[in-house]
Amino acid sequence: MPMVNSSTDGGASDRLIDVIKNMGPIVVALSGGVDSSLVMAAASKALSDEQILAVTADSDSLATDELDHCRDLAATWGVAWHPTETQEMNDERYLANNPDRCYWCKSALMDQLVPIAQQRDATVVLGVNMDDLGDHRPGQHAAAQRGGRFPLVEAGFTKAMIRELAQRWGLEVWDRPAMPCLSSRIPYGTEVSVALLSRIDRAERALRQLGFSDVRVRDYGDTARIEVPSHSMVKAAELAETISEQVTSVGYRYVTLDMAGLRSGNLNHVVAR
């Protein structure tokens, strides 16, 4: 298990470790991103091995290879891990893809995590940070309603602080781009389906293989609207023909590049805040 020297970070790591230590046994909802990975790493410093279990939702909205990624992360930190199948695709409220979709998604996750936590006399914890509180995130409300806690919020961590501490602790995911669920690529009001999720997954995987580690393929029927960071625009233009071939090969007719660049939560602009 990697060793940590928390004396140089102004007490932030000590604060996070203390928050988790005071929770006692926990079940970590491990998504594979830097937030939940930092929570897991902090837990490995705060609690004994038998007090920690990391669980990852095995879902149609999870990108290819993410399950194996989460398993490997947990193994790196010596944390017990297992996947759990969530049932959001059986919930018409989730499939309807209204602005409350994330509420039903997180409810499906909590349906799996809460019984696991109860069996272990543990608390469910999730990788929510201070910056997340300002976006449209109904899933946070669903988790909190069911007793889920957010140690990064309780310790006052912003995304920048998380990445800084993750780098100091040697987490390989410290600079990993966010990987929100594939359903977030579908505009509200367009019904979620396995076929749509699979098409988005295959398109994004093709783009990652071309070297675009931070990418979104927004699904607009026949049209794939690609978002990459501004610094990747020139590369995307240079590879335009290859990108078009790769993305149309998975079922899209038109391929566009969003000139505004990648914006996390881009489709939430239609939601009044």
Side-chain angles (χ1 to χ4, degrees), residues 36 98 102 115 201 217 226 234 261:
S36 61
N98 292 319
C102 289
D201 185 32
V217 174
I226 297 172
V234 172

Side-chain angles (χ1 to χ4, degrees), residues 29-260:
L30 181 64
S31 68
V34 63
D35 297 348
S36 61
S37 296
L38 185 65
V39 171
M40 179 184 65
S44 74
K45 304 300 174 184
L47 304 169
S48 61
D49 290 348
E50 63 270 15
Q51 289 180 300
I52 313 166
L53 175 65
V55 179
T56 301
D58 184 0
S59 164
D60 290 309
S61 65
L62 188 68
T64 299
D65 300 329
E66 286 300 286
L67 210 59
D68 290 342
H69 168 69
C70 290
R71 179 200 61 209
D72 293 345
L73 276 175
T76 298
W77 286 85
V79 172
W81 171 89
H82 71 71
T84 184
E85 291 188 8
T86 52
Q87 304 299 319
E88 67 270 20
M89 295 300 289
N90 295 329
D91 188 337
E92 292 183 0
R93 298 167 297 185
Y94 173 83
L95 298 178
N97 196 22
N98 292 319
D100 63 353
R101 181 198 67 238
C102 289
Y103 181 93
W104 305 114
C105 178
K106 199 67 71 179
S107 293
L109 175 62
M110 295 300 287
D111 284 344
Q112 301 300 314
L113 297 185
V114 169
I116 294 171
Q118 289 174 339
Q119 291 174 3
R120 301 171 62 90
D121 194 23
T123 299
V124 175
V125 299
L126 302 96
V128 177
N129 66 65
M130 296 293 292
D131 295 339
D132 293 331
L133 302 181
D135 196 4
H136 175 69
R137 303 287 180 96
Q140 296 172 13
H141 183 52
Q145 279 184 321
R146 302 285 293 277
R149 291 179 63 178
F150 313 140
L152 294 170
V153 171
E154 294 183 33
F157 270 71
T158 63
K159 191 73 171 190
M161 293 170 65
I162 289 166
R163 291 200 184 279
E164 180 183 354
L165 184 56
Q167 183 180 24
R168 182 177 293 116
W169 282 12
L171 272 68
E172 63 177 64
V173 296
W174 74 269
D175 62 346
R176 191 175 199 246
M179 289 283 288
C181 82
L182 295 172
S183 295
S184 67
R185 319 300 201 263
I186 304 172
Y188 292 126
T190 300
E191 186 170 322
V192 176
S193 70
V194 173
L196 273 187
L197 296 174
S198 176
R199 183 168 69 171
I200 294 165
D201 185 32
R202 285 178 286 141
E204 290 192 355
R205 189 179 189 190
L207 290 168
R208 287 194 295 272
Q209 290 173 343
L210 291 174
F212 297 95
S213 59
D214 200 3
V215 63
R216 303 284 188 278
V217 174
R218 309 293 185 186
D219 188 293
Y220 287 86
D222 285 345
T223 301
R225 195 185 81 203
I226 297 172
E227 294 180 14
V228 296
S230 298
H231 61 78
S232 295
M233 290 286 192
V234 172
K235 179 179 179 179
E238 292 173 345
L239 294 175
E241 184 176 352
T242 302
I243 289 172
S244 180
E245 290 174 354
Q246 293 288 324
V247 176
T248 55
S249 73
V250 305
Y252 291 101
R253 185 174 181 183
Y254 306 106
V255 182
T256 66
L257 179 65
D258 191 326
M259 300 308 294

